[in-house]
Amino acid sequence: MLGRLNHVAIAVPDLANATAVYRDVLGAAVSQPQPLPEHGVTVVFVDLDNTRIELLEPLGEDSPIARFLERCPVGGMHHICYEVDDIAAARERLAAHGARVLGDGEPKIGAHGKPVLFLHPKDFAGTLIEIEQV
């Protein structure tokens, strides 16, 4: 069911600073900031040869990233995103195995313009999982 690793997401308290570290210190190519109000975040993608890093900054006080940063003020890994061919089929397979899909269970459009779902971290060894249809 799982395809390739799409990205690893890191929550950051200061997106401009984190972007500068990846660009200037680590020498990586970084995207422009992209606000995603429907997800409550602003994102920057760090392009690597084999995957991406997604830097997430809260967009608004009720952002899930704001809540994450309350617990981890310096930031840290937030989720891992895997690609799937068919998000509806993946959702059905996961539900059949007892995995919990977060939210209303319906895919939302993610930062890449593709359908995404998030899976409860308690069902996946404490890791929040995002699946994205390719």
Side-chain angles (χ1 to χ4, degrees):
M1 178 181 86
L2 289 183
R4 71 187 273 285
L5 174 67
N6 185 283
H7 65 267
V8 174
I10 300 172
V12 300
D14 182 338
L15 189 59
N17 183 59
T19 300
V21 167
Y22 273 88
R23 182 188 59 236
D24 302 338
V25 177
L26 295 173
V30 299
S31 72
Q32 292 297 312
Q34 178 182 359
L36 298 172
E38 64 278 11
H39 294 281
V41 297
T42 301
V43 301
V44 165
F45 284 98
V46 179
D47 291 318
L48 306 174
D49 287 341
N50 57 349
T51 192
R52 280 172 256 160
I53 302 295
E54 180 183 48
L55 303 174
L56 301 166
E57 180 182 65
L59 184 61
E61 292 178 16
D62 60 345
S63 166
I65 299 306
R67 289 190 296 278
F68 179 91
L69 290 171
E70 286 172 8
R71 295 185 309 273
C72 303
V74 298
M77 193 189 87
H78 185 261
H79 68 268
I80 298 174
C81 178
Y82 298 105
E83 295 176 353
V84 297
D85 289 328
D86 181 336
I87 203 160
R91 178 185 57 203
E92 298 310 312
R93 175 188 168 97
L94 290 159
H97 285 87
R100 292 171 281 178
V101 175
L102 298 176
D104 64 7
E106 292 302 315
K108 293 184 175 31
I109 300 302
H112 301 116
K114 298 178 180 180
V116 299
L117 288 170
F118 284 88
L119 310 175
H120 202 293
K122 289 184 180 178
D123 298 335
F124 297 95
T127 303
L128 179 63
I129 301 292
E130 179 183 18
I131 56 173
E132 177 179 286
Q133 183 169 296
V134 290

